[in-house]
mmCIF file of all heavy atoms in Angstrom:
data_model
loop_
_atom_site.group_PDB
_atom_site.id
_atom_site.type_symbol
_atom_site.label_atom_id
_atom_site.label_comp_id
_atom_site.label_asym_id
_atom_site.label_seq_id
_atom_site.Cartn_x
_atom_site.Cartn_y
_atom_site.Cartn_z
ATOM 1 N N ARG X 1430 16.447 3.480 66.791
ATOM 2 C CA ARG X 1430 17.805 4.037 66.793
ATOM 3 C C ARG X 1430 17.810 5.548 66.604
ATOM 4 O O ARG X 1430 18.844 6.192 66.795
ATOM 5 C CB ARG X 1430 18.624 3.375 65.675
ATOM 6 C CG ARG X 1430 18.846 1.889 65.881
ATOM 7 C CD ARG X 1430 19.449 1.244 64.652
ATOM 8 N NE ARG X 1430 18.510 1.254 63.527
ATOM 9 C CZ ARG X 1430 18.793 0.792 62.307
ATOM 10 N NH1 ARG X 1430 19.999 0.301 62.061
ATOM 11 N NH2 ARG X 1430 17.887 0.826 61.353
ATOM 12 N N PHE X 1431 16.693 6.111 66.228
ATOM 13 C CA PHE X 1431 16.579 7.531 65.906
ATOM 14 C C PHE X 1431 16.292 8.330 67.178
ATOM 15 O O PHE X 1431 15.372 8.004 67.933
ATOM 16 C CB PHE X 1431 15.448 7.712 64.892
ATOM 17 C CG PHE X 1431 15.422 9.041 64.204
ATOM 18 C CD1 PHE X 1431 16.290 9.309 63.164
ATOM 19 C CD2 PHE X 1431 14.501 10.009 64.561
ATOM 20 C CE1 PHE X 1431 16.254 10.533 62.500
ATOM 21 C CE2 PHE X 1431 14.453 11.225 63.915
ATOM 22 C CZ PHE X 1431 15.337 11.493 62.877
ATOM 23 N N ASP X 1432 17.070 9.380 67.442
ATOM 24 C CA ASP X 1432 16.903 10.191 68.648
ATOM 25 C C ASP X 1432 15.821 11.242 68.407
ATOM 26 O O ASP X 1432 16.093 12.364 67.952
ATOM 27 C CB ASP X 1432 18.230 10.844 69.028
ATOM 28 C CG ASP X 1432 18.204 11.431 70.436
ATOM 29 O OD1 ASP X 1432 17.109 11.819 70.902
ATOM 30 O OD2 ASP X 1432 19.267 11.498 71.069
ATOM 31 N N ILE X 1433 14.601 10.860 68.701
ATOM 32 C CA ILE X 1433 13.448 11.733 68.468
ATOM 33 C C ILE X 1433 13.563 13.019 69.274
ATOM 34 O O ILE X 1433 13.298 14.121 68.768
ATOM 35 C CB ILE X 1433 12.144 10.986 68.837
ATOM 36 C CG1 ILE X 1433 11.945 9.791 67.902
ATOM 37 C CG2 ILE X 1433 10.948 11.923 68.769
ATOM 38 C CD1 ILE X 1433 10.798 8.896 68.328
ATOM 39 N N GLN X 1434 13.975 12.900 70.522
ATOM 40 C CA GLN X 1434 14.034 14.068 71.398
ATOM 41 C C GLN X 1434 15.081 15.073 70.919
ATOM 42 O O GLN X 1434 14.861 16.293 70.960
ATOM 43 C CB GLN X 1434 14.341 13.645 72.834
ATOM 44 C CG GLN X 1434 14.230 14.763 73.858
ATOM 45 C CD GLN X 1434 12.849 15.423 73.868
ATOM 46 O OE1 GLN X 1434 11.830 14.751 73.761
ATOM 47 N NE2 GLN X 1434 12.818 16.754 73.965
ATOM 48 N N LEU X 1435 16.214 14.581 70.444
ATOM 49 C CA LEU X 1435 17.254 15.480 69.949
ATOM 50 C C LEU X 1435 16.760 16.269 68.738
ATOM 51 O O LEU X 1435 16.994 17.482 68.636
ATOM 52 C CB LEU X 1435 18.503 14.670 69.577
ATOM 53 C CG LEU X 1435 19.665 15.463 68.965
ATOM 54 C CD1 LEU X 1435 20.161 16.531 69.917
ATOM 55 C CD2 LEU X 1435 20.809 14.515 68.581
ATOM 56 N N VAL X 1436 16.071 15.598 67.836
ATOM 57 C CA VAL X 1436 15.533 16.281 66.653
ATOM 58 C C VAL X 1436 14.507 17.329 67.063
ATOM 59 O O VAL X 1436 14.476 18.450 66.529
ATOM 60 C CB VAL X 1436 14.927 15.251 65.672
ATOM 61 C CG1 VAL X 1436 14.173 15.960 64.549
ATOM 62 C CG2 VAL X 1436 16.020 14.362 65.097
ATOM 63 N N ALA X 1437 13.655 16.977 68.031
ATOM 64 C CA ALA X 1437 12.651 17.924 68.506
ATOM 65 C C ALA X 1437 13.306 19.163 69.118
ATOM 66 O O ALA X 1437 12.897 20.305 68.853
ATOM 67 C CB ALA X 1437 11.734 17.250 69.516
ATOM 68 N N GLU X 1438 14.334 18.940 69.942
ATOM 69 C CA GLU X 1438 15.041 20.061 70.569
ATOM 70 C C GLU X 1438 15.693 20.958 69.522
ATOM 71 O O GLU X 1438 15.663 22.193 69.616
ATOM 72 C CB GLU X 1438 16.106 19.523 71.526
ATOM 73 C CG GLU X 1438 15.554 18.923 72.802
ATOM 74 C CD GLU X 1438 15.175 19.977 73.826
ATOM 75 O OE1 GLU X 1438 15.536 21.157 73.640
ATOM 76 O OE2 GLU X 1438 14.503 19.624 74.811
ATOM 77 N N LEU X 1439 16.277 20.332 68.522
ATOM 78 C CA LEU X 1439 16.922 21.086 67.452
ATOM 79 C C LEU X 1439 15.909 21.972 66.738
ATOM 80 O O LEU X 1439 16.172 23.150 66.451
ATOM 81 C CB LEU X 1439 17.565 20.090 66.477
ATOM 82 C CG LEU X 1439 18.455 20.633 65.357
ATOM 83 C CD1 LEU X 1439 19.661 21.361 65.923
ATOM 84 C CD2 LEU X 1439 18.904 19.488 64.451
ATOM 85 N N ALA X 1440 14.741 21.405 66.447
ATOM 86 C CA ALA X 1440 13.707 22.154 65.729
ATOM 87 C C ALA X 1440 13.133 23.289 66.576
ATOM 88 O O ALA X 1440 12.854 24.381 66.050
ATOM 89 C CB ALA X 1440 12.594 21.202 65.303
ATOM 90 N N VAL X 1441 12.963 23.054 67.865
ATOM 91 C CA VAL X 1441 12.393 24.070 68.743
ATOM 92 C C VAL X 1441 13.362 25.231 68.941
ATOM 93 O O VAL X 1441 12.972 26.408 68.881
ATOM 94 C CB VAL X 1441 12.016 23.445 70.103
ATOM 95 C CG1 VAL X 1441 11.711 24.528 71.130
ATOM 96 C CG2 VAL X 1441 10.814 22.523 69.944
ATOM 97 N N ARG X 1442 14.617 24.898 69.159
ATOM 98 C CA ARG X 1442 15.604 25.935 69.461
ATOM 99 C C ARG X 1442 16.014 26.740 68.230
ATOM 100 O O ARG X 1442 16.445 27.884 68.350
ATOM 101 C CB ARG X 1442 16.835 25.311 70.115
ATOM 102 C CG ARG X 1442 16.533 24.641 71.458
ATOM 103 C CD ARG X 1442 17.798 24.191 72.139
ATOM 104 N NE ARG X 1442 17.536 23.399 73.330
ATOM 105 C CZ ARG X 1442 18.409 23.213 74.313
ATOM 106 N NH1 ARG X 1442 19.607 23.763 74.241
ATOM 107 N NH2 ARG X 1442 18.105 22.454 75.348
ATOM 108 N N ARG X 1443 15.912 26.119 67.056
ATOM 109 C CA ARG X 1443 16.263 26.832 65.828
ATOM 110 C C ARG X 1443 15.116 26.717 64.823
ATOM 111 O O ARG X 1443 15.174 25.968 63.848
ATOM 112 C CB ARG X 1443 17.564 26.288 65.231
ATOM 113 C CG ARG X 1443 18.812 26.583 66.065
ATOM 114 C CD ARG X 1443 19.016 28.087 66.311
ATOM 115 N NE ARG X 1443 19.082 28.870 65.093
ATOM 116 C CZ ARG X 1443 20.217 29.311 64.556
ATOM 117 N NH1 ARG X 1443 21.372 29.053 65.125
ATOM 118 N NH2 ARG X 1443 20.187 30.021 63.449
ATOM 119 N N PRO X 1444 14.037 27.474 65.042
ATOM 120 C CA PRO X 1444 12.876 27.397 64.141
ATOM 121 C C PRO X 1444 13.179 27.876 62.730
ATOM 122 O O PRO X 1444 12.399 27.619 61.806
ATOM 123 C CB PRO X 1444 11.840 28.300 64.829
ATOM 124 C CG PRO X 1444 12.630 29.212 65.704
ATOM 125 C CD PRO X 1444 13.818 28.417 66.158
ATOM 126 N N ASP X 1445 14.309 28.570 62.547
ATOM 127 C CA ASP X 1445 14.697 29.034 61.216
ATOM 128 C C ASP X 1445 15.386 27.940 60.411
ATOM 129 O O ASP X 1445 15.592 28.099 59.205
ATOM 130 C CB ASP X 1445 15.627 30.245 61.326
ATOM 131 C CG ASP X 1445 16.853 29.968 62.201
ATOM 132 O OD1 ASP X 1445 16.698 29.280 63.237
ATOM 133 O OD2 ASP X 1445 17.960 30.423 61.849
ATOM 134 N N TRP X 1446 15.757 26.830 61.051
ATOM 135 C CA TRP X 1446 16.343 25.695 60.357
ATOM 136 C C TRP X 1446 15.239 24.697 60.024
ATOM 137 O O TRP X 1446 14.367 24.424 60.853
ATOM 138 C CB TRP X 1446 17.399 25.003 61.209
ATOM 139 C CG TRP X 1446 18.635 25.813 61.433
ATOM 140 C CD1 TRP X 1446 18.973 26.994 60.836
ATOM 141 C CD2 TRP X 1446 19.698 25.498 62.348
ATOM 142 N NE1 TRP X 1446 20.178 27.441 61.306
ATOM 143 C CE2 TRP X 1446 20.663 26.543 62.231
ATOM 144 C CE3 TRP X 1446 19.942 24.465 63.236
ATOM 145 C CZ2 TRP X 1446 21.840 26.565 62.980
ATOM 146 C CZ3 TRP X 1446 21.114 24.471 63.973
ATOM 147 C CH2 TRP X 1446 22.058 25.509 63.847
ATOM 148 N N HIS X 1447 15.301 24.111 58.843
ATOM 149 C CA HIS X 1447 14.272 23.170 58.417
ATOM 150 C C HIS X 1447 14.870 21.768 58.282
ATOM 151 O O HIS X 1447 15.891 21.573 57.605
ATOM 152 C CB HIS X 1447 13.629 23.628 57.111
ATOM 153 C CG HIS X 1447 12.726 24.795 57.307
ATOM 154 N ND1 HIS X 1447 11.355 24.675 57.415
ATOM 155 C CD2 HIS X 1447 13.011 26.108 57.471
ATOM 156 C CE1 HIS X 1447 10.826 25.865 57.615
ATOM 157 N NE2 HIS X 1447 11.810 26.762 57.655
ATOM 158 N N ILE X 1448 14.244 20.816 58.924
ATOM 159 C CA ILE X 1448 14.745 19.440 59.003
ATOM 160 C C ILE X 1448 13.932 18.562 58.060
ATOM 161 O O ILE X 1448 12.706 18.466 58.182
ATOM 162 C CB ILE X 1448 14.651 18.918 60.448
ATOM 163 C CG1 ILE X 1448 15.478 19.820 61.378
ATOM 164 C CG2 ILE X 1448 15.123 17.469 60.531
ATOM 165 C CD1 ILE X 1448 15.285 19.522 62.855
ATOM 166 N N VAL X 1449 14.614 17.941 57.120
ATOM 167 C CA VAL X 1449 13.986 17.076 56.115
ATOM 168 C C VAL X 1449 14.306 15.623 56.462
ATOM 169 O O VAL X 1449 15.481 15.236 56.517
ATOM 170 C CB VAL X 1449 14.497 17.403 54.695
ATOM 171 C CG1 VAL X 1449 13.853 16.477 53.664
ATOM 172 C CG2 VAL X 1449 14.237 18.867 54.354
ATOM 173 N N LEU X 1450 13.269 14.829 56.704
ATOM 174 C CA LEU X 1450 13.451 13.433 57.097
ATOM 175 C C LEU X 1450 12.850 12.527 56.030
ATOM 176 O O LEU X 1450 11.650 12.593 55.738
ATOM 177 C CB LEU X 1450 12.788 13.168 58.450
ATOM 178 C CG LEU X 1450 13.282 14.044 59.614
ATOM 179 C CD1 LEU X 1450 12.500 13.739 60.885
ATOM 180 C CD2 LEU X 1450 14.776 13.858 59.836
ATOM 181 N N ILE X 1451 13.686 11.668 55.449
ATOM 182 C CA ILE X 1451 13.269 10.767 54.379
ATOM 183 C C ILE X 1451 13.475 9.330 54.829
ATOM 184 O O ILE X 1451 14.576 8.955 55.240
ATOM 185 C CB ILE X 1451 14.076 11.025 53.088
ATOM 186 C CG1 ILE X 1451 13.773 12.423 52.554
ATOM 187 C CG2 ILE X 1451 13.783 9.967 52.041
ATOM 188 C CD1 ILE X 1451 14.621 12.812 51.363
ATOM 189 N N GLY X 1452 12.421 8.532 54.768
ATOM 190 C CA GLY X 1452 12.552 7.122 55.108
ATOM 191 C C GLY X 1452 11.312 6.594 55.807
ATOM 192 O O GLY X 1452 10.484 7.363 56.321
ATOM 193 N N PRO X 1453 11.184 5.272 55.844
ATOM 194 C CA PRO X 1453 10.029 4.664 56.500
ATOM 195 C C PRO X 1453 10.135 4.744 58.022
ATOM 196 O O PRO X 1453 11.238 4.755 58.581
ATOM 197 C CB PRO X 1453 10.102 3.202 56.025
ATOM 198 C CG PRO X 1453 11.568 2.968 55.805
ATOM 199 C CD PRO X 1453 12.110 4.273 55.280
ATOM 200 N N VAL X 1454 8.997 4.799 58.676
ATOM 201 C CA VAL X 1454 8.927 4.749 60.134
ATOM 202 C C VAL X 1454 8.536 3.336 60.533
ATOM 203 O O VAL X 1454 7.466 2.852 60.158
ATOM 204 C CB VAL X 1454 7.900 5.764 60.681
ATOM 205 C CG1 VAL X 1454 7.806 5.675 62.199
ATOM 206 C CG2 VAL X 1454 8.270 7.185 60.241
ATOM 207 N N VAL X 1455 9.392 2.644 61.264
ATOM 208 C CA VAL X 1455 9.129 1.256 61.635
ATOM 209 C C VAL X 1455 9.430 1.036 63.113
ATOM 210 O O VAL X 1455 10.325 1.666 63.686
ATOM 211 C CB VAL X 1455 9.957 0.263 60.780
ATOM 212 C CG1 VAL X 1455 9.630 0.402 59.308
ATOM 213 C CG2 VAL X 1455 11.450 0.459 60.987
ATOM 214 N N LYS X 1456 8.650 0.163 63.720
ATOM 215 C CA LYS X 1456 8.841 -0.314 65.101
ATOM 216 C C LYS X 1456 8.672 0.755 66.171
ATOM 217 O O LYS X 1456 8.895 0.492 67.345
ATOM 218 C CB LYS X 1456 10.202 -1.005 65.264
ATOM 219 C CG LYS X 1456 10.329 -2.295 64.472
ATOM 220 C CD LYS X 1456 11.614 -3.041 64.818
ATOM 221 C CE LYS X 1456 12.828 -2.328 64.313
ATOM 222 N NZ LYS X 1456 14.079 -3.080 64.573
ATOM 223 N N ILE X 1457 8.310 1.966 65.776
ATOM 224 C CA ILE X 1457 7.977 2.991 66.755
ATOM 225 C C ILE X 1457 6.644 3.606 66.359
ATOM 226 O O ILE X 1457 6.235 3.543 65.205
ATOM 227 C CB ILE X 1457 9.056 4.091 66.857
ATOM 228 C CG1 ILE X 1457 9.240 4.813 65.516
ATOM 229 C CG2 ILE X 1457 10.378 3.525 67.346
ATOM 230 C CD1 ILE X 1457 10.163 6.017 65.596
ATOM 231 N N ASP X 1458 5.971 4.181 67.334
ATOM 232 C CA ASP X 1458 4.665 4.799 67.102
ATOM 233 C C ASP X 1458 4.862 6.136 66.392
ATOM 234 O O ASP X 1458 5.568 7.020 66.894
ATOM 235 C CB ASP X 1458 3.964 4.999 68.442
ATOM 236 C CG ASP X 1458 2.539 5.523 68.297
ATOM 237 O OD1 ASP X 1458 2.107 5.790 67.147
ATOM 238 O OD2 ASP X 1458 1.862 5.670 69.332
ATOM 239 N N GLU X 1459 4.247 6.285 65.224
ATOM 240 C CA GLU X 1459 4.381 7.538 64.490
ATOM 241 C C GLU X 1459 3.868 8.726 65.300
ATOM 242 O O GLU X 1459 4.321 9.858 65.102
ATOM 243 C CB GLU X 1459 3.642 7.452 63.157
ATOM 244 C CG GLU X 1459 4.309 6.535 62.141
ATOM 245 C CD GLU X 1459 3.834 6.794 60.718
ATOM 246 O OE1 GLU X 1459 3.595 7.970 60.377
ATOM 247 O OE2 GLU X 1459 3.711 5.816 59.963
ATOM 248 N N ALA X 1460 2.953 8.465 66.210
ATOM 249 C CA ALA X 1460 2.425 9.545 67.044
ATOM 250 C C ALA X 1460 3.492 10.112 67.978
ATOM 251 O O ALA X 1460 3.335 11.220 68.507
ATOM 252 C CB ALA X 1460 1.231 9.049 67.853
ATOM 253 N N SER X 1461 4.576 9.353 68.196
ATOM 254 C CA SER X 1461 5.641 9.818 69.082
ATOM 255 C C SER X 1461 6.600 10.773 68.379
ATOM 256 O O SER X 1461 7.439 11.400 69.030
ATOM 257 C CB SER X 1461 6.435 8.624 69.623
ATOM 258 O OG SER X 1461 7.169 7.986 68.587
ATOM 259 N N LEU X 1462 6.491 10.910 67.075
ATOM 260 C CA LEU X 1462 7.386 11.781 66.333
ATOM 261 C C LEU X 1462 6.997 13.246 66.528
ATOM 262 O O LEU X 1462 5.816 13.585 66.564
ATOM 263 C CB LEU X 1462 7.338 11.437 64.844
ATOM 264 C CG LEU X 1462 7.803 10.030 64.457
ATOM 265 C CD1 LEU X 1462 7.587 9.790 62.972
ATOM 266 C CD2 LEU X 1462 9.266 9.818 64.823
ATOM 267 N N PRO X 1463 7.980 14.119 66.672
ATOM 268 C CA PRO X 1463 7.655 15.547 66.847
ATOM 269 C C PRO X 1463 7.026 16.119 65.594
ATOM 270 O O PRO X 1463 7.481 15.868 64.477
ATOM 271 C CB PRO X 1463 9.031 16.182 67.133
ATOM 272 C CG PRO X 1463 10.028 15.232 66.551
ATOM 273 C CD PRO X 1463 9.431 13.868 66.694
ATOM 274 N N ARG X 1464 5.964 16.887 65.796
ATOM 275 C CA ARG X 1464 5.256 17.514 64.674
ATOM 276 C C ARG X 1464 5.374 19.025 64.816
ATOM 277 O O ARG X 1464 4.620 19.671 65.536
ATOM 278 C CB ARG X 1464 3.780 17.090 64.678
ATOM 279 C CG ARG X 1464 3.566 15.592 64.585
ATOM 280 C CD ARG X 1464 3.930 15.042 63.219
ATOM 281 N NE ARG X 1464 3.825 13.578 63.163
ATOM 282 C CZ ARG X 1464 4.033 12.857 62.066
ATOM 283 N NH1 ARG X 1464 4.352 13.474 60.934
ATOM 284 N NH2 ARG X 1464 3.941 11.535 62.096
ATOM 285 N N LEU X 1465 6.371 19.573 64.143
ATOM 286 C CA LEU X 1465 6.623 21.001 64.181
ATOM 287 C C LEU X 1465 6.686 21.534 62.757
ATOM 288 O O LEU X 1465 6.963 20.786 61.817
ATOM 289 C CB LEU X 1465 7.936 21.289 64.920
ATOM 290 C CG LEU X 1465 7.961 20.856 66.402
ATOM 291 C CD1 LEU X 1465 9.377 20.859 66.926
ATOM 292 C CD2 LEU X 1465 7.078 21.768 67.233
ATOM 293 N N ALA X 1466 6.462 22.832 62.614
ATOM 294 C CA ALA X 1466 6.372 23.420 61.281
ATOM 295 C C ALA X 1466 7.668 23.288 60.498
ATOM 296 O O ALA X 1466 7.650 23.281 59.258
ATOM 297 C CB ALA X 1466 5.986 24.895 61.396
ATOM 298 N N ASN X 1467 8.789 23.173 61.199
ATOM 299 C CA ASN X 1467 10.078 23.094 60.499
ATOM 300 C C ASN X 1467 10.652 21.681 60.457
ATOM 301 O O ASN X 1467 11.828 21.490 60.176
ATOM 302 C CB ASN X 1467 11.098 24.057 61.110
ATOM 303 C CG ASN X 1467 11.355 23.788 62.586
ATOM 304 O OD1 ASN X 1467 10.500 23.246 63.287
ATOM 305 N ND2 ASN X 1467 12.534 24.168 63.053
ATOM 306 N N ILE X 1468 9.821 20.669 60.727
ATOM 307 C CA ILE X 1468 10.210 19.273 60.526
ATOM 308 C C ILE X 1468 9.329 18.716 59.413
ATOM 309 O O ILE X 1468 8.099 18.746 59.499
ATOM 310 C CB ILE X 1468 10.050 18.429 61.803
ATOM 311 C CG1 ILE X 1468 10.906 18.992 62.942
ATOM 312 C CG2 ILE X 1468 10.452 16.976 61.534
ATOM 313 C CD1 ILE X 1468 10.811 18.206 64.236
ATOM 314 N N HIS X 1469 9.959 18.184 58.391
ATOM 315 C CA HIS X 1469 9.247 17.755 57.190
ATOM 316 C C HIS X 1469 9.480 16.259 56.963
ATOM 317 O O HIS X 1469 10.593 15.838 56.643
ATOM 318 C CB HIS X 1469 9.720 18.560 55.979
ATOM 319 C CG HIS X 1469 9.704 20.039 56.197
ATOM 320 N ND1 HIS X 1469 8.610 20.822 55.895
ATOM 321 C CD2 HIS X 1469 10.647 20.868 56.724
ATOM 322 C CE1 HIS X 1469 8.881 22.084 56.205
ATOM 323 N NE2 HIS X 1469 10.116 22.136 56.712
ATOM 324 N N TYR X 1470 8.431 15.456 57.127
ATOM 325 C CA TYR X 1470 8.495 14.016 56.913
ATOM 326 C C TYR X 1470 8.061 13.727 55.472
ATOM 327 O O TYR X 1470 6.896 13.898 55.126
ATOM 328 C CB TYR X 1470 7.582 13.282 57.887
ATOM 329 C CG TYR X 1470 7.950 13.478 59.345
ATOM 330 C CD1 TYR X 1470 7.338 14.473 60.110
ATOM 331 C CD2 TYR X 1470 8.909 12.674 59.957
ATOM 332 C CE1 TYR X 1470 7.677 14.663 61.444
ATOM 333 C CE2 TYR X 1470 9.253 12.852 61.291
ATOM 334 C CZ TYR X 1470 8.635 13.855 62.028
ATOM 335 O OH TYR X 1470 8.964 14.033 63.350
ATOM 336 N N LEU X 1471 8.992 13.271 54.659
ATOM 337 C CA LEU X 1471 8.687 13.043 53.245
ATOM 338 C C LEU X 1471 8.413 11.587 52.924
ATOM 339 O O LEU X 1471 8.059 11.268 51.786
ATOM 340 C CB LEU X 1471 9.836 13.562 52.370
ATOM 341 C CG LEU X 1471 10.219 15.036 52.549
ATOM 342 C CD1 LEU X 1471 11.207 15.449 51.473
ATOM 343 C CD2 LEU X 1471 8.990 15.934 52.528
ATOM 344 N N GLY X 1472 8.572 10.690 53.903
ATOM 345 C CA GLY X 1472 8.314 9.277 53.661
ATOM 346 C C GLY X 1472 9.451 8.617 52.892
ATOM 347 O O GLY X 1472 10.515 9.199 52.683
#
Side-chain angles (χ1 to χ4, degrees):
R1430 295 170 293 178
F1431 195 78
D1432 193 332
I1433 295 172
Q1434 188 57 41
L1435 177 60
V1436 171
E1438 287 281 348
L1439 187 62
V1441 167
R1442 297 187 187 201
R1443 292 303 304 259
D1445 55 321
W1446 292 351
H1447 287 261
I1448 301 171
V1449 179
L1450 302 177
I1451 295 174
V1454 178
V1455 300
K1456 294 188 290 183
I1457 61 173
D1458 185 357
E1459 289 198 37
S1461 68
L1462 297 175
R1464 301 290 175 177
L1465 298 166
N1467 59 334
I1468 301 180
H1469 309 269
Y1470 298 95
L1471 304 189

